[in-house]
Amino acid sequence: MAPPNMDSPLSPLSYQPYLDQLIAFGSAESRKEDLLQAKADYFRLTGEVFEDDKLFELRMASFLDYYLYDRVSPLTNKTPATEFYEQRLAGAPPEEANAFRSFTETVHGLFEVRKLGKGEVRLRELYSGKDFDVTERRHVAGLETGDIIEARLIPFGGHLLFSSAFCYHPRVAVKAIKAEVKRRKKKEPDRTPDELVWECARRALNRERYRQLSVEKIYDFEQKVL
């Protein structure tokens, strides 16, 4: 299933021009070493991908999200998104500053698809149980109610929009993922939701690489992930 295209001519909502500026800022030559370290950190958490992997493009999009929105740089003690917003806040017009602020307020996690409506997808974040209505004016082929996805939501123009990064988990694994969320909340409350997001991403990669193994075995959370 292809990720939703937020630049579709059917939708006037697009944060892409602002994101392009943030990416240019985050990938400046002066940040090259930090960017490479961030990539190593991300691969350690979610599993290393290679160019011939089926999930390569989606996983690299997820890495870019992680780097821009989540990873606090040891150089500045801020994410690139926060740095850029604070930089632009001083001289940019209010509407432009608000656009860059949206990148500091993204919502990332494991979501259950609760409802597919016309122009809208209702998601429930598994840890908090909070519902989010995401604007998506195209029909997302292959996405069904009850599916679990890793996604990032970006507030923009009064709407929540999908970023380009997704990780889809098989229907067979839904029960196991939900049970693991429940178990961690009860028995390991100090663990962060992101830890399970990253582990599930690693298991999704293993699913693509080890087709000889059953999905149930790959998503057996009693077994250490490869």
Side-chain angles (χ1 to χ4, degrees):
M1 176 172 61
N5 179 4
M6 299 314 302
D7 295 321
S8 165
L10 298 178
S11 173
L13 300 168
S14 177
Y15 51 76
Q16 193 63 46
Y18 304 99
L19 178 58
D20 289 343
Q21 294 181 57
L22 175 57
I23 292 172
F25 172 80
S27 57
E29 184 64 27
S30 61
R31 307 179 71 100
K32 185 175 181 180
E33 288 189 16
D34 192 42
L35 180 62
L36 291 174
Q37 183 58 54
K39 186 178 291 186
D41 293 343
Y42 183 73
F43 283 166
R44 176 178 53 80
L45 293 168
T46 64
E48 187 169 3
V49 291
F50 306 99
E51 289 189 14
D52 59 348
D53 283 321
K54 184 178 178 181
L55 295 178
F56 180 76
E57 290 188 7
L58 282 175
R59 193 55 59 85
M60 291 307 295
S62 293
F63 158 68
L64 184 61
D65 278 7
Y66 162 79
Y67 171 64
L68 294 175
Y69 309 132
D70 293 339
R71 181 179 177 273
V72 175
S73 170
L75 303 176
T76 64
N77 205 33
K78 299 175 183 177
T79 65
T82 298
E83 285 184 64
F84 194 52
Y85 166 59
E86 291 179 353
Q87 182 186 103
R88 298 308 301 269
L89 190 60
E95 64 274 13
E96 189 171 321
N98 286 337
F100 291 120
R101 185 181 64 190
S102 69
F103 297 130
T104 71
E105 299 174 343
T106 68
V107 181
H108 175 236
L110 289 170
F111 299 92
E112 180 184 8
V113 179
R114 300 290 293 177
K115 183 179 180 181
L116 293 167
K118 187 176 181 180
E120 192 172 81
V121 179
R122 176 164 292 175
L123 303 177
R124 177 167 295 170
E125 199 277 314
L126 292 184
Y127 261 83
S128 67
K130 184 177 179 180
D131 287 346
F132 298 88
D133 291 326
V134 185
T135 299
E136 174 49 62
R137 299 187 180 183
R138 290 178 42 168
H139 172 68
V140 187
L143 194 64
E144 298 179 357
T145 302
D147 284 346
I148 288 180
I149 60 172
E150 174 193 344
R152 184 177 300 271
L153 314 180
I154 299 177
F156 188 83
H159 298 259
L160 279 175
L161 308 177
F162 285 116
S163 83
S164 61
F166 286 81
C167 183
Y168 304 93
H169 297 291
R171 288 299 289 265
V172 177
V174 167
K175 184 176 179 180
I177 293 172
K178 285 185 171 182
E180 183 63 9
V181 170
K182 185 177 181 179
R183 186 192 70 80
R184 292 192 187 198
K185 288 176 67 176
K186 182 177 181 180
K187 296 187 177 182
E188 301 178 85
D190 292 336
R191 298 185 72 177
T192 67
D194 272 342
E195 289 184 66
L196 184 57
V197 173
W198 295 326
E199 181 177 335
C200 285
R202 199 176 188 98
R203 292 181 187 275
L205 184 60
N206 286 342
R207 182 197 175 213
E208 293 298 327
R209 288 184 173 162
Y210 305 111
R211 289 289 183 171
Q212 72 275 19
L213 299 178
S214 69
V215 174
E216 291 88 349
K217 185 174 182 63
I218 290 173
Y219 282 83
D220 180 358
F221 291 93
E222 293 185 0
Q223 302 295 323
K224 186 176 179 180
V225 64
L226 297 176

